[in-house]
Amino acid sequence: MIWRVASYIYQEISNVLLSKSIERMRKRLKRTKGICSCSSPRCINHSTFNWYEQDLWTYIARFLDGRSLVMLGATNKWFNSVIMQDCIWKFTCLRDLQVPDPGHVSFSWSKLYASVVDGSHSFIFRQQEKHIDWMRIGAFSFDSEVAFLSQRMSASVKIPKQENIGDMLQSCGSCLLRKIKTGIWIADLQLVRCPVCDQEKCEGTMQMLDARHIELFLNQGFQDGSWDYELVGSHEIKKKVRGAYGAIFDFKYLTSKSTAGIFDYKSWIGQPNDFQPKAIIALHAVAVNTNLQENQEAGVLIKYHTMRAGAEGEIVSIRISQQLL
């Protein structure tokens, strides 16, 4: 099927080029005074249009999805050499994730694309027994090295002034994280068993906003387990709340138009009697919310975990978990 589609696109482009070639030939004939010229549009050899034109196939590749590109690359060695160009996979990755070009990356774009679409998530590598289900939310970007994390739905944003994360959370229900690895981040919504936490009486489940840098799964430090998650803060909301909410923002764009939709809560959190998890993603932010039933026990415990690229390295993953008390 992919060969037929690609062949059709190629033939259409070839026809356009052929028509232009014929038109140029006709113009040259009109300027020729003699009648003995052997140049004629009817004598054009169609075989001059080579099917193995790299520029044309590079252009065609822009219209194919990742699976189709892999199938086309498996046709033969020539197509494989064309399709495996990093520029093709970069275009495909940025197009499908709908994010801007992050600039330098440490791995090939084909590997980055595969790590996003192969069904992998963080609990595949660790704590598989704790995992129940998951949902891919999408991709967003960090342009700055500062993240703003929030656990409250509020139209007015209060920037914490404290230095300690625990004090920040206690003061305004939000905190700042510094030394974030910039670039493309992938966000998932995880459903895990509560034994991940330390609440002995809880036998249910909890939701987790799980965000990671696009390169995380390809790094040796993550693969060999030397990079691990660390609890950086927690906060109890002891009063009854309408929902379990968590959000991650690039602090640089906290009040920009690109993130305004996240603060329009009524547009995405669902009706009060809708208890299915909801998520929204913007160019520089992501948020999740699950409405809670009125008869559920009051209070929510929110925990914040981060993973660094080494002891003093950049933050490459952030988790916000919410558990009913």
Side-chain angles (χ1 to χ4, degrees):
M1 182 63 184
I2 175 59
W3 178 257
R4 292 180 181 177
V5 173
S7 297
Y8 174 78
I9 297 175
Y10 186 92
Q11 189 62 50
E12 289 298 310
I13 296 174
S14 298
N15 290 338
V16 171
L17 295 176
L18 178 59
S19 299
K20 291 182 178 180
S21 177
I22 293 173
E23 184 62 28
R24 287 195 297 268
M25 183 66 73
R26 286 175 177 170
K27 290 181 179 179
R28 285 198 296 269
L29 286 174
K30 288 181 179 179
R31 292 194 295 267
T32 303
K33 295 181 179 180
I35 61 174
C36 59
S37 174
C38 62
S39 298
S40 172
R42 299 177 183 177
C43 298
I44 293 178
N45 186 358
H46 287 215
S47 63
T48 58
F49 290 92
N50 186 4
W51 278 88
Y52 293 96
E53 286 286 349
Q54 181 169 328
D55 290 344
L56 280 177
W57 282 107
T58 301
Y59 180 75
I60 291 171
R62 297 166 63 93
F63 300 94
L64 304 179
D65 59 20
R67 185 171 181 272
S68 299
L69 286 172
V70 172
M71 294 173 65
L72 184 59
T75 304
N76 57 37
K77 291 183 178 180
W78 186 87
F79 276 111
N80 183 265
S81 65
V82 173
I83 296 304
M84 291 310 295
Q85 293 180 90
D86 216 36
C87 62
I88 290 178
W89 288 100
K90 178 179 180 180
F91 177 87
T92 303
C93 194
L94 298 181
R95 178 199 64 195
D96 291 358
L97 297 181
Q98 298 182 23
V99 290
D101 185 353
H104 172 74
V105 292
S106 302
F107 299 91
S108 69
W109 281 99
S110 60
K111 289 184 177 180
L112 291 173
Y113 185 83
S115 72
V116 174
V117 303
D118 65 359
S120 299
H121 58 83
S122 59
F123 280 90
I124 284 182
F125 301 92
R126 305 170 193 185
Q127 295 184 315
Q128 293 185 28
E129 71 282 1
K130 311 295 186 183
H131 191 253
I132 300 174
D133 202 358
W134 74 294
M135 177 182 74
R136 173 60 45 83
I137 302 174
F140 66 105
S141 293
F142 266 109
D143 284 353
S144 74
E145 296 183 351
V146 182
F148 178 82
L149 279 54
S150 178
Q151 65 192 36
R152 295 178 182 175
M153 287 190 290
S154 174
S156 58
V157 178
K158 186 177 181 181
I159 308 301
K161 298 180 180 179
Q162 296 82 356
E163 293 296 327
N164 180 272
I165 292 180
D167 294 338
M168 293 183 193
L169 296 172
Q170 189 67 33
S171 172
C172 54
S174 58
C175 68
L176 296 176
L177 293 179
R178 305 183 187 280
K179 208 173 180 180
I180 302 292
K181 183 174 178 62
T182 59
I184 301 171
W185 280 58
I186 308 299
D188 297 328
L189 177 60
Q190 306 282 1
L191 184 64
V192 296
R193 293 185 174 86
C194 272
V196 173
C197 71
D198 54 8
Q199 299 293 313
E200 296 180 358
K201 296 182 180 180
C202 179
E203 298 179 355
T205 61
M206 66 179 185
Q207 75 174 21
M208 178 184 293
L209 174 56
D210 186 7
R212 62 175 172 88
H213 193 274
I214 191 173
E215 298 178 4
L216 178 62
F217 292 170
L218 300 176
N219 278 283
Q220 184 64 36
F222 176 83
Q223 295 176 359
D224 62 21
S226 59
W227 300 357
D228 205 354
Y229 287 95
E230 174 189 5
L231 179 66
V232 295
S234 63
H235 182 228
E236 289 187 16
I237 302 178
K238 297 182 179 180
K239 61 181 180 179
K240 203 165 187 177
V241 293
R242 293 180 300 173
Y245 171 83
I248 301 173
F249 298 84
D250 182 339
F251 185 67
K252 179 181 178 180
Y253 298 94
L254 182 59
T255 58
S256 72
K257 292 182 179 179
S258 64
T259 57
I262 291 181
F263 294 103
D264 184 13
Y265 305 109
K266 292 182 179 180
S267 67
W268 66 273
I269 64 172
Q271 298 298 318
N273 60 349
D274 183 355
F275 306 115
Q276 292 296 316
K278 298 292 189 298
I280 184 173
I281 198 158
L283 193 57
H284 300 287
V286 61
V288 298
N289 179 76
T290 299
N291 293 328
L292 302 178
Q293 299 181 23
E294 292 185 2
N295 60 351
Q296 286 181 317
E297 296 181 13
V300 176
L301 173 64
I302 300 98
K303 289 189 174 183
Y304 299 83
H305 291 81
T306 61
M307 177 183 288
R308 291 183 179 273
E312 301 298 328
E314 297 173 305
I315 293 176
V316 291
S317 184
I318 301 171
R319 285 177 171 176
I320 304 177
S321 63
Q322 297 100 0
Q323 176 216 345
L324 294 178
L325 294 175

Short mmCIF file of all heavy atoms in Angstrom, two decimals, residues 92-149:
data_model
loop_
_atom_site.label_atom_id
_atom_site.label_comp_id
_atom_site.label_asym_id
_atom_site.label_seq_id
_atom_site.Cartn_x
_atom_site.Cartn_y
_atom_site.Cartn_z
N THR A 92 9.69 14.47 10.85
CA THR A 92 8.58 13.61 11.25
C THR A 92 8.30 13.72 12.74
O THR A 92 7.16 13.81 13.18
CB THR A 92 8.88 12.14 10.88
OG1 THR A 92 9.14 12.05 9.49
CG2 THR A 92 7.71 11.24 11.23
N CYS A 93 9.36 13.74 13.54
CA CYS A 93 9.22 13.82 14.99
C CYS A 93 8.59 15.14 15.43
O CYS A 93 7.64 15.17 16.21
CB CYS A 93 10.58 13.63 15.64
SG CYS A 93 10.52 13.32 17.43
N LEU A 94 9.13 16.24 14.92
CA LEU A 94 8.60 17.56 15.29
C LEU A 94 7.17 17.73 14.79
O LEU A 94 6.33 18.34 15.46
CB LEU A 94 9.49 18.66 14.73
CG LEU A 94 10.94 18.68 15.23
CD1 LEU A 94 11.70 19.84 14.61
CD2 LEU A 94 10.99 18.78 16.76
N ARG A 95 6.88 17.19 13.60
CA ARG A 95 5.52 17.28 13.05
C ARG A 95 4.53 16.50 13.90
O ARG A 95 3.46 17.02 14.26
CB ARG A 95 5.51 16.74 11.62
CG ARG A 95 4.14 16.74 10.94
CD ARG A 95 4.13 15.80 9.75
NE ARG A 95 4.34 14.41 10.16
CZ ARG A 95 4.65 13.44 9.31
NH1 ARG A 95 4.82 13.69 8.03
NH2 ARG A 95 4.81 12.19 9.76
N ASP A 96 4.86 15.27 14.24
CA ASP A 96 3.92 14.42 14.98
C ASP A 96 3.76 14.86 16.43
O ASP A 96 2.67 14.74 16.99
CB ASP A 96 4.38 12.96 14.92
CG ASP A 96 4.26 12.36 13.53
OD1 ASP A 96 3.77 13.08 12.62
OD2 ASP A 96 4.65 11.20 13.34
N LEU A 97 4.82 15.36 17.04
CA LEU A 97 4.74 15.81 18.43
C LEU A 97 4.23 17.24 18.54
O LEU A 97 3.87 17.69 19.64
CB LEU A 97 6.11 15.70 19.11
CG LEU A 97 6.69 14.29 19.23
CD1 LEU A 97 8.04 14.34 19.94
CD2 LEU A 97 5.73 13.37 19.98
N GLN A 98 4.24 17.98 17.42
CA GLN A 98 3.77 19.36 17.38
C GLN A 98 4.52 20.25 18.37
O GLN A 98 3.93 20.95 19.20
CB GLN A 98 2.26 19.41 17.65
CG GLN A 98 1.44 18.66 16.61
CD GLN A 98 -0.05 18.75 16.85
OE1 GLN A 98 -0.54 19.68 17.49
NE2 GLN A 98 -0.79 17.79 16.32
N VAL A 99 5.84 20.17 18.29
CA VAL A 99 6.71 20.98 19.14
C VAL A 99 7.74 21.68 18.26
O VAL A 99 8.03 21.22 17.15
CB VAL A 99 7.43 20.11 20.21
CG1 VAL A 99 6.44 19.62 21.25
CG2 VAL A 99 8.16 18.95 19.55
N PRO A 100 8.32 22.78 18.74
CA PRO A 100 9.35 23.48 17.95
C PRO A 100 10.69 22.75 18.00
O PRO A 100 10.91 21.87 18.85
CB PRO A 100 9.42 24.85 18.64
CG PRO A 100 9.00 24.59 20.05
CD PRO A 100 7.96 23.51 19.97
N ASP A 101 11.57 23.13 17.11
CA ASP A 101 12.91 22.55 17.03
C ASP A 101 13.69 22.90 18.31
O ASP A 101 13.88 24.07 18.62
CB ASP A 101 13.63 23.10 15.80
CG ASP A 101 14.99 22.44 15.58
OD1 ASP A 101 15.44 21.66 16.44
OD2 ASP A 101 15.61 22.73 14.54
N PRO A 102 14.15 21.90 19.07
CA PRO A 102 14.88 22.20 20.31
C PRO A 102 16.34 22.54 20.09
O PRO A 102 17.05 22.87 21.05
CB PRO A 102 14.75 20.88 21.09
CG PRO A 102 14.73 19.84 20.02
CD PRO A 102 13.99 20.45 18.85
N GLY A 103 16.80 22.44 18.85
CA GLY A 103 18.22 22.67 18.59
C GLY A 103 19.00 21.38 18.71
O GLY A 103 18.62 20.35 18.16
N HIS A 104 20.08 21.42 19.46
CA HIS A 104 20.96 20.24 19.60
C HIS A 104 20.27 19.12 20.36
O HIS A 104 19.60 19.34 21.37
CB HIS A 104 22.24 20.63 20.33
CG HIS A 104 23.11 19.46 20.67
ND1 HIS A 104 23.85 18.78 19.73
CD2 HIS A 104 23.33 18.83 21.86
CE1 HIS A 104 24.50 17.80 20.32
NE2 HIS A 104 24.21 17.80 21.60
N VAL A 105 20.44 17.89 19.87
CA VAL A 105 20.01 16.69 20.59
C VAL A 105 21.19 15.72 20.64
O VAL A 105 22.08 15.76 19.79
CB VAL A 105 18.79 16.02 19.92
CG1 VAL A 105 17.56 16.89 20.04
CG2 VAL A 105 19.07 15.69 18.45
N SER A 106 21.18 14.84 21.63
CA SER A 106 22.32 13.94 21.86
C SER A 106 22.20 12.60 21.14
O SER A 106 23.15 11.82 21.15
CB SER A 106 22.50 13.70 23.36
OG SER A 106 22.70 14.91 24.05
N PHE A 107 21.03 12.33 20.56
CA PHE A 107 20.81 11.06 19.88
C PHE A 107 20.21 11.34 18.50
O PHE A 107 19.72 12.44 18.23
CB PHE A 107 19.87 10.17 20.69
CG PHE A 107 20.40 9.81 22.05
CD1 PHE A 107 20.11 10.61 23.15
CD2 PHE A 107 21.20 8.70 22.23
CE1 PHE A 107 20.60 10.30 24.41
CE2 PHE A 107 21.69 8.37 23.48
CZ PHE A 107 21.40 9.17 24.58
N SER A 108 20.24 10.33 17.64
CA SER A 108 19.66 10.50 16.31
C SER A 108 18.15 10.67 16.44
O SER A 108 17.52 10.15 17.37
CB SER A 108 19.98 9.28 15.44
OG SER A 108 19.29 8.13 15.90
N TRP A 109 17.56 11.37 15.50
CA TRP A 109 16.12 11.62 15.55
C TRP A 109 15.32 10.35 15.32
O TRP A 109 14.20 10.21 15.82
CB TRP A 109 15.75 12.69 14.52
CG TRP A 109 16.07 14.07 15.01
CD1 TRP A 109 17.16 14.82 14.69
CD2 TRP A 109 15.30 14.86 15.92
NE1 TRP A 109 17.13 16.03 15.34
CE2 TRP A 109 15.99 16.09 16.09
CE3 TRP A 109 14.11 14.66 16.59
CZ2 TRP A 109 15.52 17.09 16.93
CZ3 TRP A 109 13.63 15.66 17.42
CH2 TRP A 109 14.33 16.86 17.59
N SER A 110 15.86 9.41 14.58
CA SER A 110 15.15 8.14 14.39
C SER A 110 15.02 7.39 15.71
O SER A 110 13.97 6.80 16.02
CB SER A 110 15.87 7.28 13.35
OG SER A 110 17.19 6.98 13.76
N LYS A 111 16.07 7.42 16.54
CA LYS A 111 16.02 6.76 17.85
C LYS A 111 15.08 7.52 18.80
O LYS A 111 14.35 6.91 19.58
CB LYS A 111 17.42 6.66 18.45
CG LYS A 111 18.32 5.66 17.75
CD LYS A 111 19.66 5.55 18.45
CE LYS A 111 20.54 4.49 17.79
NZ LYS A 111 21.85 4.37 18.47
N LEU A 112 15.12 8.83 18.75
CA LEU A 112 14.23 9.63 19.60
C LEU A 112 12.77 9.36 19.23
O LEU A 112 11.91 9.18 20.12
CB LEU A 112 14.54 11.12 19.45
CG LEU A 112 15.89 11.58 20.01
CD1 LEU A 112 16.14 13.04 19.65
CD2 LEU A 112 15.94 11.40 21.52
N TYR A 113 12.49 9.31 17.93
CA TYR A 113 11.12 9.06 17.48
C TYR A 113 10.66 7.68 17.93
O TYR A 113 9.54 7.51 18.43
CB TYR A 113 11.04 9.18 15.96
CG TYR A 113 9.63 9.06 15.41
CD1 TYR A 113 8.78 10.15 15.39
CD2 TYR A 113 9.18 7.84 14.90
CE1 TYR A 113 7.49 10.05 14.89
CE2 TYR A 113 7.89 7.73 14.39
CZ TYR A 113 7.05 8.83 14.39
OH TYR A 113 5.77 8.71 13.89
N ALA A 114 11.54 6.69 17.80
CA ALA A 114 11.18 5.32 18.19
C ALA A 114 10.90 5.23 19.69
O ALA A 114 9.98 4.53 20.12
CB ALA A 114 12.30 4.36 17.80
N SER A 115 11.67 5.95 20.51
CA SER A 115 11.47 5.89 21.96
C SER A 115 10.15 6.51 22.40
O SER A 115 9.66 6.23 23.49
CB SER A 115 12.63 6.60 22.67
OG SER A 115 12.56 8.01 22.51
N VAL A 116 9.57 7.35 21.52
CA VAL A 116 8.30 8.00 21.85
C VAL A 116 7.10 7.16 21.41
O VAL A 116 6.09 7.09 22.10
CB VAL A 116 8.23 9.41 21.20
CG1 VAL A 116 6.85 10.03 21.40
CG2 VAL A 116 9.30 10.32 21.79
N VAL A 117 7.23 6.49 20.26
CA VAL A 117 6.07 5.82 19.67
C VAL A 117 6.06 4.31 19.87
O VAL A 117 5.13 3.64 19.42
CB VAL A 117 5.98 6.13 18.16
CG1 VAL A 117 5.90 7.62 17.92
CG2 VAL A 117 7.17 5.53 17.40
N ASP A 118 7.07 3.75 20.54
CA ASP A 118 7.12 2.29 20.67
C ASP A 118 6.32 1.75 21.85
O ASP A 118 6.39 0.56 22.16
CB ASP A 118 8.58 1.82 20.77
CG ASP A 118 9.28 2.33 22.04
OD1 ASP A 118 8.64 3.06 22.82
OD2 ASP A 118 10.46 1.99 22.24
N GLY A 119 5.55 2.63 22.51
CA GLY A 119 4.71 2.18 23.62
C GLY A 119 5.41 2.15 24.96
O GLY A 119 4.85 1.68 25.96
N SER A 120 6.63 2.68 25.04
CA SER A 120 7.38 2.68 26.30
C SER A 120 6.89 3.77 27.24
O SER A 120 6.51 4.85 26.81
CB SER A 120 8.87 2.88 26.02
OG SER A 120 9.39 1.84 25.23
N HIS A 121 6.89 3.46 28.52
CA HIS A 121 6.66 4.45 29.56
C HIS A 121 7.56 4.10 30.74
O HIS A 121 8.15 3.01 30.79
CB HIS A 121 5.19 4.52 29.97
CG HIS A 121 4.62 3.22 30.45
ND1 HIS A 121 4.77 2.77 31.74
CD2 HIS A 121 3.92 2.26 29.80
CE1 HIS A 121 4.18 1.60 31.88
NE2 HIS A 121 3.66 1.26 30.71
N SER A 122 7.69 4.98 31.71
CA SER A 122 8.71 4.82 32.75
C SER A 122 8.50 3.57 33.60
O SER A 122 9.47 2.98 34.10
CB SER A 122 8.74 6.06 33.65
OG SER A 122 7.48 6.29 34.24
N PHE A 123 7.26 3.11 33.79
CA PHE A 123 7.02 1.95 34.65
C PHE A 123 7.31 0.63 33.94
O PHE A 123 7.27 -0.42 34.57
CB PHE A 123 5.58 1.98 35.17
CG PHE A 123 5.38 2.90 36.34
CD1 PHE A 123 5.03 4.22 36.14
CD2 PHE A 123 5.59 2.47 37.64
CE1 PHE A 123 4.86 5.09 37.20
CE2 PHE A 123 5.43 3.33 38.71
CZ PHE A 123 5.06 4.64 38.51
N ILE A 124 7.59 0.67 32.65
CA ILE A 124 8.04 -0.55 31.96
C ILE A 124 9.42 -0.95 32.45
O ILE A 124 9.75 -2.13 32.56
CB ILE A 124 8.05 -0.33 30.44
CG1 ILE A 124 6.62 -0.36 29.89
CG2 ILE A 124 8.91 -1.37 29.73
CD1 ILE A 124 6.54 -0.19 28.39
N PHE A 125 10.25 0.05 32.80
CA PHE A 125 11.62 -0.21 33.19
C PHE A 125 11.75 -0.51 34.68
O PHE A 125 12.64 -1.23 35.09
CB PHE A 125 12.49 1.00 32.83
CG PHE A 125 12.47 1.34 31.37
CD1 PHE A 125 11.54 2.25 30.86
CD2 PHE A 125 13.35 0.74 30.49
CE1 PHE A 125 11.53 2.57 29.51
CE2 PHE A 125 13.35 1.05 29.14
CZ PHE A 125 12.42 1.96 28.65
N ARG A 126 10.85 0.08 35.50
CA ARG A 126 10.95 -0.10 36.95
C ARG A 126 9.55 -0.16 37.57
O ARG A 126 8.63 0.47 37.07
CB ARG A 126 11.72 1.06 37.58
CG ARG A 126 13.09 1.26 36.97
CD ARG A 126 13.72 2.54 37.44
NE ARG A 126 14.88 2.86 36.60
CZ ARG A 126 15.69 3.87 36.82
NH1 ARG A 126 15.49 4.66 37.85
NH2 ARG A 126 16.70 4.10 36.02
N GLN A 127 9.44 -0.91 38.66
CA GLN A 127 8.20 -1.01 39.44
C GLN A 127 7.01 -1.47 38.58
O GLN A 127 5.90 -0.97 38.72
CB GLN A 127 7.86 0.32 40.10
CG GLN A 127 8.87 0.76 41.15
CD GLN A 127 8.46 2.04 41.84
OE1 GLN A 127 8.03 3.00 41.20
NE2 GLN A 127 8.59 2.07 43.15
N GLN A 128 7.25 -2.45 37.74
CA GLN A 128 6.17 -2.95 36.89
C GLN A 128 5.01 -3.49 37.71
O GLN A 128 3.85 -3.39 37.30
CB GLN A 128 6.71 -4.05 35.96
CG GLN A 128 7.70 -3.56 34.93
CD GLN A 128 8.10 -4.66 33.96
OE1 GLN A 128 7.34 -5.58 33.69
NE2 GLN A 128 9.30 -4.56 33.42
N GLU A 129 5.32 -4.08 38.87
CA GLU A 129 4.26 -4.66 39.70
C GLU A 129 3.33 -3.60 40.29
O GLU A 129 2.22 -3.92 40.71
CB GLU A 129 4.89 -5.49 40.83
CG GLU A 129 5.58 -4.70 41.92
CD GLU A 129 6.98 -4.18 41.54
OE1 GLU A 129 7.41 -4.44 40.39
OE2 GLU A 129 7.60 -3.53 42.39
N LYS A 130 3.76 -2.35 40.32
CA LYS A 130 2.94 -1.27 40.87
C LYS A 130 2.02 -0.65 39.83
O LYS A 130 1.09 0.07 40.16
CB LYS A 130 3.84 -0.17 41.45
CG LYS A 130 4.94 -0.65 42.36
CD LYS A 130 4.42 -1.27 43.63
CE LYS A 130 5.57 -1.61 44.58
NZ LYS A 130 5.08 -2.29 45.79
N HIS A 131 2.29 -0.95 38.57
CA HIS A 131 1.61 -0.24 37.49
C HIS A 131 0.30 -0.90 37.11
O HIS A 131 0.18 -2.12 37.08
CB HIS A 131 2.53 -0.17 36.26
CG HIS A 131 2.05 0.75 35.19
ND1 HIS A 131 1.50 0.31 34.00
CD2 HIS A 131 1.99 2.11 35.13
CE1 HIS A 131 1.17 1.35 33.27
NE2 HIS A 131 1.45 2.44 33.93
N ILE A 132 -0.73 -0.05 36.81
CA ILE A 132 -2.04 -0.55 36.40
C ILE A 132 -2.35 -0.16 34.95
O ILE A 132 -2.64 -0.99 34.11
CB ILE A 132 -3.15 -0.01 37.33
CG1 ILE A 132 -2.90 -0.47 38.77
CG2 ILE A 132 -4.53 -0.47 36.85
CD1 ILE A 132 -3.87 0.12 39.77
N ASP A 133 -2.27 1.12 34.65
CA ASP A 133 -2.63 1.60 33.32
C ASP A 133 -1.96 2.94 33.07
O ASP A 133 -1.42 3.57 34.00
CB ASP A 133 -4.15 1.72 33.19
CG ASP A 133 -4.62 1.68 31.74
OD1 ASP A 133 -3.77 1.58 30.84
OD2 ASP A 133 -5.84 1.77 31.51
N TRP A 134 -1.99 3.38 31.82
CA TRP A 134 -1.39 4.66 31.50
C TRP A 134 -2.03 5.25 30.25
O TRP A 134 -2.72 4.56 29.50
CB TRP A 134 0.12 4.52 31.29
CG TRP A 134 0.51 3.86 30.01
CD1 TRP A 134 0.27 2.55 29.65
CD2 TRP A 134 1.18 4.46 28.89
NE1 TRP A 134 0.76 2.30 28.40
CE2 TRP A 134 1.33 3.44 27.90
CE3 TRP A 134 1.67 5.73 28.64
CZ2 TRP A 134 1.95 3.68 26.68
CZ3 TRP A 134 2.30 5.97 27.43
CH2 TRP A 134 2.43 4.95 26.46
N MET A 135 -1.77 6.53 30.03
CA MET A 135 -2.29 7.24 28.86
C MET A 135 -1.26 8.27 28.44
O MET A 135 -0.74 9.03 29.26
CB MET A 135 -3.61 7.94 29.20
CG MET A 135 -4.20 8.78 28.07
SD MET A 135 -5.73 9.63 28.57
CE MET A 135 -5.06 10.93 29.64
N ARG A 136 -0.92 8.28 27.15
CA ARG A 136 -0.02 9.30 26.63
C ARG A 136 -0.78 10.61 26.48
O ARG A 136 -1.82 10.67 25.83
CB ARG A 136 0.55 8.84 25.29
CG ARG A 136 1.39 9.85 24.50
CD ARG A 136 2.63 10.34 25.22
NE ARG A 136 3.40 9.30 25.87
CZ ARG A 136 4.30 8.52 25.27
NH1 ARG A 136 4.52 8.65 23.97
NH2 ARG A 136 4.97 7.60 25.94
N ILE A 137 -0.28 11.67 27.10
CA ILE A 137 -0.90 12.99 27.00
C ILE A 137 -0.37 13.73 25.78
O ILE A 137 -1.14 14.27 24.98
CB ILE A 137 -0.65 13.81 28.28
CG1 ILE A 137 -1.20 13.07 29.50
CG2 ILE A 137 -1.31 15.19 28.16
CD1 ILE A 137 -0.86 13.75 30.82
N GLY A 138 0.94 13.77 25.64
CA GLY A 138 1.52 14.46 24.49
C GLY A 138 2.91 14.99 24.80
O GLY A 138 3.57 14.55 25.74
N ALA A 139 3.34 15.98 24.04
CA ALA A 139 4.67 16.56 24.19
C ALA A 139 4.57 18.06 24.41
O ALA A 139 3.66 18.72 23.90
CB ALA A 139 5.52 16.27 22.95
N PHE A 140 5.51 18.59 25.17
CA PHE A 140 5.62 20.03 25.38
C PHE A 140 7.09 20.39 25.48
O PHE A 140 7.95 19.50 25.47
CB PHE A 140 4.83 20.49 26.62
CG PHE A 140 5.37 19.98 27.93
CD1 PHE A 140 6.07 20.81 28.78
CD2 PHE A 140 5.16 18.65 28.32
CE1 PHE A 140 6.57 20.34 30.00
CE2 PHE A 140 5.64 18.18 29.53
CZ PHE A 140 6.35 19.02 30.37
N SER A 141 7.40 21.68 25.57
CA SER A 141 8.79 22.13 25.52
C SER A 141 9.16 22.94 26.75
O SER A 141 8.36 23.70 27.29
CB SER A 141 9.04 22.98 24.27
OG SER A 141 8.92 22.20 23.10
N PHE A 142 10.41 22.76 27.16
CA PHE A 142 11.03 23.63 28.16
C PHE A 142 12.08 24.48 27.44
O PHE A 142 13.07 23.96 26.93
CB PHE A 142 11.70 22.82 29.27
CG PHE A 142 10.84 22.57 30.47
CD1 PHE A 142 10.35 21.31 30.73
CD2 PHE A 142 10.52 23.60 31.34
CE1 PHE A 142 9.55 21.06 31.83
CE2 PHE A 142 9.72 23.37 32.45
CZ PHE A 142 9.23 22.10 32.70
N ASP A 143 11.84 25.78 27.41
CA ASP A 143 12.83 26.71 26.88
C ASP A 143 13.73 27.26 27.97
O ASP A 143 14.88 27.62 27.72
CB ASP A 143 12.14 27.88 26.16
CG ASP A 143 11.60 27.49 24.80
OD1 ASP A 143 11.89 26.35 24.37
OD2 ASP A 143 10.89 28.28 24.18
N SER A 144 13.19 27.35 29.18
CA SER A 144 13.97 27.84 30.32
C SER A 144 14.34 26.67 31.22
O SER A 144 13.85 25.56 31.05
CB SER A 144 13.18 28.88 31.10
OG SER A 144 12.14 28.26 31.86
N GLU A 145 15.18 26.93 32.19
CA GLU A 145 15.64 25.89 33.11
C GLU A 145 14.86 25.90 34.42
O GLU A 145 15.30 25.28 35.40
CB GLU A 145 17.13 26.06 33.38
CG GLU A 145 18.01 25.88 32.14
CD GLU A 145 19.48 26.00 32.45
OE1 GLU A 145 19.82 26.38 33.60
OE2 GLU A 145 20.30 25.70 31.57
N VAL A 146 13.72 26.58 34.44
CA VAL A 146 12.92 26.67 35.66
C VAL A 146 11.51 26.13 35.39
O VAL A 146 10.86 26.52 34.42
CB VAL A 146 12.82 28.13 36.17
CG1 VAL A 146 12.02 28.19 37.48
CG2 VAL A 146 14.21 28.70 36.38
N ALA A 147 11.06 25.22 36.25
CA ALA A 147 9.71 24.66 36.15
C ALA A 147 8.85 25.16 37.30
O ALA A 147 9.33 25.28 38.44
CB ALA A 147 9.76 23.13 36.17
N PHE A 148 7.60 25.44 36.98
CA PHE A 148 6.61 25.83 37.99
C PHE A 148 5.63 24.68 38.14
O PHE A 148 4.97 24.29 37.17
CB PHE A 148 5.89 27.11 37.56
CG PHE A 148 4.81 27.55 38.52
CD1 PHE A 148 5.12 28.28 39.66
CD2 PHE A 148 3.47 27.24 38.28
CE1 PHE A 148 4.13 28.69 40.54
CE2 PHE A 148 2.48 27.65 39.15
CZ PHE A 148 2.80 28.38 40.28
N LEU A 149 5.54 24.10 39.34
CA LEU A 149 4.65 22.98 39.61
C LEU A 149 3.51 23.44 40.51
O LEU A 149 3.73 24.15 41.50
CB LEU A 149 5.41 21.85 40.31
CG LEU A 149 6.24 20.89 39.45
CD1 LEU A 149 7.22 21.61 38.56
CD2 LEU A 149 6.96 19.88 40.32
#
